[in-house]
Amino acid sequence: MEKMREANKAAQKTVRVTPANHIMRRLLKHPHAGGFPKEGGAEWPDDRFTKRRIADGDITREDDAPKDRSRSHRRQEDSSAA
């Protein structure tokens, strides 16, 4: 069983995230990965909890560029209105 747990941990995908603000840094804690350090981001599993926090805007992926995301969203709105 121990070997199976270790293999599962190695196969689990993680994502580097940062909190949206200092309040989220203090309050948010992933059930398995824990909270955030005083500065910088943290490695969290790429699971439903993390994806929901990203969708809510409580955290952001460090590899995402917010400017690019808003531009693509506007393009989608413009093209859907046509």
Side-chain angles (χ1 to χ4, degrees):
M1 291 300 262
E2 185 67 30
K3 287 183 180 183
M4 289 172 58
R5 273 190 228 117
E6 288 177 17
N8 191 26
K9 281 185 180 180
Q12 190 174 26
K13 185 178 173 188
T14 61
V15 63
R16 185 125 181 110
V17 294
T18 55
N21 55 44
H22 69 280
I23 295 170
M24 289 296 126
R25 179 180 301 280
R26 188 171 41 92
L27 296 177
L28 277 180
K29 292 174 179 53
H30 191 279
H32 301 291
F36 291 99
K38 291 186 179 189
E39 293 182 10
E43 286 284 329
W44 280 11
D46 193 17
D47 58 3
R48 287 175 61 183
F49 181 87
T50 303
K51 290 176 183 175
R52 178 58 189 251
R53 301 290 86 69
I54 292 170
D56 289 346
D58 299 334
I59 61 173
T60 57
R61 287 178 157 227
E62 285 192 357
D63 58 355
D64 283 351
K67 294 178 185 176
D68 294 339
R69 201 168 36 158
S70 64
R71 288 182 191 160
S72 65
H73 182 64
R74 287 185 198 147
R75 287 183 195 145
Q76 289 174 354
E77 287 177 357
D78 294 342
S79 63
S80 64

